[in-house]
Amino acid sequence: QVQLVESGGGLVQVGGSLRLSCEASVSLFSISVMDWYRQSAENQRDLVAKISSGGTITYTDSAKGRFTISRDNAKNTVYLQMNRLKPEDTSVYYCLAVYHNRWYWGQGTQVTVSS
């Protein structure tokens, strides 16, 4: 099993920045992929960015150019740096770990962007 603990959410003004953290209870080298998702208005979880154990990174269109996903293997932590935030970025953000072909979710962290 993997436990994921997210932090870093909060209230920020339009154009501001936040850095989300997701600390895993196991080594990142044993996790195939770690993703960041966010809750949509339709109550679905939409992919924002992903990083593989080999360092391959993928961003969705909403994240390209503004968000950066990174990892600190020594801390078993994946980050999502979010810049130039917009009101439509307001959501609950979740990290996901794919570990031995099973999916594990964090508890979520609220990001609110005020205009």
Side-chain angles (χ1 to χ4, degrees):
Q1 279 213 348
V2 178
Q3 280 78 49
L4 301 172
V5 179
E6 297 142 347
S7 60
L11 175 64
V12 65
Q13 291 187 333
V14 170
S17 299
L18 283 174
R19 189 177 79 159
L20 307 183
S21 301
C22 176
E23 182 177 1
S25 60
V26 300
S27 168
L28 294 186
F29 292 113
S30 64
I31 297 174
S32 303
V33 181
M34 286 197 73
D35 302 345
W36 283 100
Y37 279 75
R38 65 187 182 188
Q39 197 87 358
S40 70
E42 294 77 24
N43 214 32
Q44 295 177 336
R45 293 186 183 181
D46 296 331
L47 179 66
V48 176
K50 62 193 326 176
I51 185 166
S52 73
S53 58
T56 301
I57 290 172
T58 305
Y59 296 104
T60 59
D61 288 343
S62 62
K64 284 179 183 176
R66 299 188 299 125
F67 295 181
T68 303
I69 190 170
S70 62
R71 55 194 287 160
D72 185 335
N73 294 325
K75 295 181 179 180
N76 293 339
T77 300
V78 172
Y79 302 98
L80 185 68
Q81 176 69 43
M82 305 188 294
N83 299 325
R84 303 200 307 278
L85 283 161
K86 305 175 182 179
E88 52 264 42
D89 295 318
T90 295
S91 186
V92 180
Y93 285 71
Y94 297 90
C95 66
L96 166 73
V98 180
Y99 176 72
H100 293 183
N101 295 320
R102 299 185 72 171
W103 288 29
Y104 296 89
W105 292 95
Q107 82 282 3
T109 185
Q110 176 70 47
V111 171
T112 302
V113 184
S114 65
S115 56

